[in-house]
Amino acid sequence: MEKLPKYLWIAALILWAVGALALVLVVSSQLFLPGNAQVFGDTGRGWLLPAWIGAMAVLLAALILAKKLYKNEKYNLLAFILGLVGAAVALVVALELKGLLPEKVGLVYETQGISTWKLIWRHLTPVGAGVLVAVVAWIHRADARRARIAAENDSYKSVYDLPDEPVFRDARSENQQNAPKRRKKKK
């Protein structure tokens, strides 16, 4: 169980890198399109590219937090939340891109737009990365919490030294101890 978060983190990093590569390709195509024709800006969906960049930045922050601060319970919760938020935003962007660029067959029988396979490996990999980062952060948080509770339990010292005799005495209990014992009546 100790190596599982490490492998999941590496898988999340690889998925994030694939999504970042697709993002770099889109940004570079936006910068170098002839005639300054912006694909996302012309359709009224100018929020897609900033949202995609923001989701990738949030996922990178979650990856770094999950790796560097894995012993801190509070920051693992932050990495968990950031991973899920980044995955949700990336999912919205991916589904909007699928609707924006449907798959069509061109003149030379080549497909244009985003096919299901392109959607998965280009645009849904950040979603997978966010989910994996959230799982890693949750495992690290559980381990840190378990270690904190064990340390608290080990450091506990009893401050009360209670003897076996009664702590409080009153006149009634002293009279009962000094009083002669009575015999039971026979029936």
Side-chain angles (χ1 to χ4, degrees):
M1 187 72 178
E2 294 174 4
K3 295 192 180 216
L4 179 66
K6 181 180 179 180
Y7 295 140
L8 290 177
W9 187 84
I10 290 171
L13 184 65
I14 291 170
L15 290 176
W16 181 86
V18 169
L21 176 67
L23 179 63
V24 166
L25 290 174
V26 167
V27 169
S28 63
S29 72
Q30 289 292 304
L31 292 175
F32 300 115
L33 277 177
N36 291 333
Q38 300 293 318
V39 173
F40 298 127
D42 293 345
T43 60
R45 292 179 176 93
W47 59 271
L48 279 175
L49 199 55
W52 193 3
I53 292 170
M56 294 301 286
V58 166
L59 288 174
L60 181 62
L63 275 165
I64 291 171
L65 282 176
K67 181 66 175 178
K68 295 293 181 186
L69 303 171
Y70 66 93
K71 291 184 180 180
N72 193 329
E73 191 175 343
K74 182 174 32 173
Y75 289 116
N76 283 319
L77 184 62
L78 180 63
F80 174 77
I81 292 170
L82 286 177
L84 290 181
V85 167
V89 172
L91 180 65
V92 168
V93 168
L95 293 177
E96 189 66 27
L97 282 174
K98 176 68 175 165
L100 179 64
L101 303 167
E103 187 177 13
K104 298 177 188 173
V105 177
L107 295 175
V108 198
Y109 300 108
E110 292 182 11
T111 58
Q112 299 172 348
I114 298 178
S115 65
T116 304
W117 172 244
K118 288 178 184 176
L119 177 74
I120 290 171
W121 81 265
R122 286 183 189 171
H123 306 292
L124 289 179
T125 52
V127 177
V131 170
L132 288 179
V133 168
V135 168
V136 168
W138 191 259
I139 292 172
H140 283 248
R141 183 177 183 275
D143 288 343
R145 185 173 192 277
R146 195 176 305 115
R148 179 185 55 85
I149 290 173
E152 286 175 1
N153 288 340
D154 290 342
S155 68
Y156 177 74
K157 294 180 183 176
S158 178
V159 293
Y160 301 108
D161 185 24
L162 299 176
D164 291 337
E165 59 190 47
V167 176
F168 301 106
R169 294 180 190 232
D170 58 356
R172 184 176 170 198
S173 64
E174 287 179 8
N175 289 340
Q176 286 178 353
Q177 288 177 356
N178 297 335
K181 298 199 177 194
R182 297 184 187 188
R183 288 194 249 171
K184 293 184 179 179
K185 293 184 182 179
K186 293 183 180 179
K187 289 188 181 181

